[in-house]
């Protein structure tokens, strides 16, 4: 290729050794060693930025996965931006790819087999104009386009919210609403969209939902609740009737945020919520980070878990205002890093005084069991396309009523994906779709 990526270490990370966790998050005793990798450059897009993360799915029915992402402008010219689907060698997937929309695409794609033909569809938002949620078939053909009042930076979530074996689409918008649609783009019910109430007084003067929603059965009723955080530093949880769960919203203390939040130019509180069993009590919890340099762990009733919030940098008092320039913009991740059977929490923090970015890792008390890892990272898994897990397993498509004759549950499945610095409990193998019958759905 024309470009050769390089890796230059800037500093040697340090670590803190502590005793085993007692319920509260404590710095892990696992020594962090940089893994130096020289990635292959498979595609170059001159004059474009890739703001969205890359989602991995199956669009063309071959044995290799495909990569889907949006492109963003580098200046003021939106021309040529759109949604790309490429093979592992960088070539476009057959069909109408790339889908050129001539508008910024900062949202990350969600992939799922909406029509049960065995191949994934693509759901993604646009920054606009026009401001839309796009549903694309596996070949790039547009299935539907839903126009919204404001931009969509939020990345959509695809989930079977009510257990009816049909998928729904959930996304936030930059006018402070959460939208829920059925797979054909029709609103889920008259309860949606929900406009999220802002804090009073407002932190920034607006309450955008630029982070990405999560979902999990927090109250044990069999339906998934919808979890979203806003730029105003608020965490919301709603049931399918559009009603807030008792104990929510959770509002991070105003006094812990910068004195003048507008100095951040609107780039605040972009981190997305996680759904895991953080404390090992068998109930799902929520983990969310905000730009006040804190990571909050919340029980299903909205109360703080023991030892939370985690305040960064270490040593800052829980009620102390965040330092100038300090921030947590990325989404934390939860998994078993050290193989001890317990969860760890990883979070990236930017120190505005030293101008250094550091990764902090904390031990949690929760077991590294699949049922407690409903939504443990941004977009769910390293594939960035996972449907949320329920207490009875993944709500995915194989074996649903209406499958073509001859299709059986679990006919196709993604075995694994190679990983290096990932903290997710999956083997080191290349992704391969196995035992797929033509016309049958896939389980991701």
């Amino acid at each position: 290729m024309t470009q050769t990526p390089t890796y230059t270490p800037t500093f040697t990370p340090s670590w803190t050794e502590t005793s085993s966790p007692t319920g509260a998050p404590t710095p892990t005793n696992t020594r962090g060693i940089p893994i130096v990798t020289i990635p292959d450059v498979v595609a170059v897009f001159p004059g474009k930025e890739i703001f969205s993360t890359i989602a991995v799915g199956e669009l063309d029915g071959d044995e290799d996965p495909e990569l889907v992402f949006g492109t963003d402008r580098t200046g003021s010219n939106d021309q040529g931006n759109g949604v790309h689907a490429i093979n592992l060698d960088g070539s476009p997937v057959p069909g109408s790819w790339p889908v050129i929309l001539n508008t910024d695409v900062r949202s990350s794609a969600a992939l799922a087999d909406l029509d049960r033909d065995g191949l994934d569809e693509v759901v993604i938002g646009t920054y606009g104009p026009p401001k839309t949620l796009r549903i694309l078939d596996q070949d790039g053909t547009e299935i539907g386009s839903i126009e919204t009042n404001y931009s969509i930076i939020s990345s959509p979530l695809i989930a079977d919210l009510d257990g009816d074996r049909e998928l729904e689409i959930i996304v936030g918008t930059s006018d402070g609403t959460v939208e829920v649609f059925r797979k054909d783009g029709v609103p889920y019910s008259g309860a949606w969209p929900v406009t999220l109430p802002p804090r009073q007084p407002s932190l920034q003067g607006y309450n955008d939902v630029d982070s990405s929603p999560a979902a999990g059965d927090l109250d044990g009723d069999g339906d998934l609740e919808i979890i979203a955080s806003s730029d105003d530093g608020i965490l919301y949880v709603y049931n399918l009737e559009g009603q807030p769960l008792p104990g929510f919203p959770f509002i991070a203390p105003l006094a812990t945020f910068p004195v003048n939040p507008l100095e951040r130019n609107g780039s605040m509180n972009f981190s997305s919520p996680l759904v895991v069993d953080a404390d090992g009590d068998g109930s799902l919890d929520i983990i969310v980070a905000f730009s006040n340099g804190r990571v909050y762990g919340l029980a299903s009733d909205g109360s703080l878990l023991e030892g939370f919030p985690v305040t960064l940098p270490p040593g800052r008092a829980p009620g102390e205002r965040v330092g100038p320039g300090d921030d947590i913009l990325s989404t934390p991740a939860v998994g078993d890093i050290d193989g001890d059977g317990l969860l760890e929490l990883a979070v990236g923090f930017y120190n505005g005084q030293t101008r250094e970015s550091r990764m902090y890792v904390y031990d949690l008390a929760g077991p590294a069991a699949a049922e407690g890892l409903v939504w443990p990272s941004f977009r769910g898994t390293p594939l960035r396309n996972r449907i949320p897990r329920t207490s009875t397993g993944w709500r995915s498509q194989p074996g649903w009523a209406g499958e073509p004759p001859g299709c059986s549950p679990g006919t196709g499945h993604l075995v694994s994906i190679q990983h290096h610095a990932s903290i997710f409990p999956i083997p080191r193998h290349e992704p391969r779709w196995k035992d797929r019958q033509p016309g049958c759905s896939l389980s991701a």
Side-chain angles (χ1 to χ4, degrees), residues 394-430:
W394 299 108
R395 282 184 175 170
S396 53
Q397 293 92 327
W400 285 5
E403 286 276 35
C407 296
S408 58
T411 343
H413 59 281
L414 179 65
V415 178
S416 54
I417 185 167
Q418 181 176 351
H419 72 293
H420 297 285
S422 169
I423 66 174
F424 303 94
I426 52 179
R428 295 175 183 270
H429 295 292
E430 294 294 334

Side-chain angles (χ1 to χ4, degrees), residues 59-200:
L59 302 181
D60 57 10
D62 63 8
E63 288 192 345
D64 292 319
E66 287 71 53
L67 312 178
V68 181
F69 54 93
T71 54
D72 189 17
R73 65 185 175 210
T74 55
S76 58
N77 185 7
D78 291 337
Q79 296 301 304
N81 286 325
V83 186
H84 294 255
I86 63 173
N87 297 303
L88 295 184
D89 62 2
S91 61
V93 173
S96 302
W97 302 104
V99 177
I100 301 302
L101 301 174
N102 295 320
T103 186
D104 293 344
V105 181
R106 301 180 182 180
S107 170
S108 300
L111 309 182
D113 185 7
L114 298 178
D115 58 8
R116 305 179 188 172
D117 66 351
L119 300 174
D120 287 331
E121 280 69 52
V122 177
V123 183
I124 196 167
T126 65
Y127 188 78
K131 307 172 182 69
T132 56
L133 184 71
R134 304 285 179 124
I135 305 174
L136 306 174
D137 209 350
Q138 76 275 356
D139 61 357
T141 303
E142 184 173 290
I143 298 174
S145 177
I146 305 164
E147 191 161 349
T148 58
N149 291 329
Y150 283 82
S151 302
I152 297 179
I153 298 176
S154 172
S155 300
L157 166 70
I158 299 176
D160 177 10
L161 294 173
D162 51 16
D164 66 350
R165 300 184 180 273
E166 296 289 350
L167 295 175
E168 286 79 43
I169 301 167
I170 307 98
V171 70
T173 71
S174 293
D175 63 346
T177 64
V178 174
E179 309 257 8
V180 181
F181 301 99
R182 299 192 183 275
K183 65 181 183 181
D184 58 1
V186 174
Y188 179 75
S189 73
W192 302 93
V194 167
T195 299
L196 306 181
R199 72 164 74 227
Q200 299 294 337

Side-chain angles (χ1 to χ4, degrees), residues 94-327:
S96 302
W97 302 104
V99 177
I100 301 302
L101 301 174
N102 295 320
T103 186
D104 293 344
V105 181
R106 301 180 182 180
S107 170
S108 300
L111 309 182
D113 185 7
L114 298 178
D115 58 8
R116 305 179 188 172
D117 66 351
L119 300 174
D120 287 331
E121 280 69 52
V122 177
V123 183
I124 196 167
T126 65
Y127 188 78
K131 307 172 182 69
T132 56
L133 184 71
R134 304 285 179 124
I135 305 174
L136 306 174
D137 209 350
Q138 76 275 356
D139 61 357
T141 303
E142 184 173 290
I143 298 174
S145 177
I146 305 164
E147 191 161 349
T148 58
N149 291 329
Y150 283 82
S151 302
I152 297 179
I153 298 176
S154 172
S155 300
L157 166 70
I158 299 176
D160 177 10
L161 294 173
D162 51 16
D164 66 350
R165 300 184 180 273
E166 296 289 350
L167 295 175
E168 286 79 43
I169 301 167
I170 307 98
V171 70
T173 71
S174 293
D175 63 346
T177 64
V178 174
E179 309 257 8
V180 181
F181 301 99
R182 299 192 183 275
K183 65 181 183 181
D184 58 1
V186 174
Y188 179 75
S189 73
W192 302 93
V194 167
T195 299
L196 306 181
R199 72 164 74 227
Q200 299 294 337
S202 176
L203 180 63
Q204 301 184 85
Y206 48 85
N207 197 38
D208 298 3
V209 183
D210 294 326
S211 60
S212 300
D217 185 4
L218 297 176
D219 58 8
D221 66 351
D223 292 334
L224 304 186
E225 280 70 52
I226 296 170
I227 303 123
S229 59
S230 76
D231 293 6
D232 224 11
I234 305 176
L235 190 282
Y236 303 86
V237 181
Y238 286 90
N239 62 24
L240 298 190
E241 288 71 45
Q243 298 300 311
L245 249 59
F248 293 95
F250 170 81
I251 303 175
L254 183 65
T256 60
F257 286 93
V259 175
N260 185 5
L262 296 180
E263 292 178 352
R264 302 287 181 90
N265 296 317
S267 298
M268 286 186 64
N269 301 320
F270 276 13
S271 180
S272 300
L274 311 179
V275 183
V276 298
D277 180 6
D279 57 6
D281 67 352
S283 299
L284 293 178
D285 309 305
I286 301 169
I287 291 178
V288 64
F290 289 121
S291 292
N292 60 353
R294 287 157 175 83
V295 183
Y296 295 93
L298 304 171
S300 58
D301 61 0
S303 61
L304 281 170
L305 299 177
E306 180 184 356
F308 285 94
V310 172
T311 303
L312 296 175
R316 175 167 287 155
E320 185 180 348
R321 190 180 299 276
V322 68
D326 291 0
D327 210 340

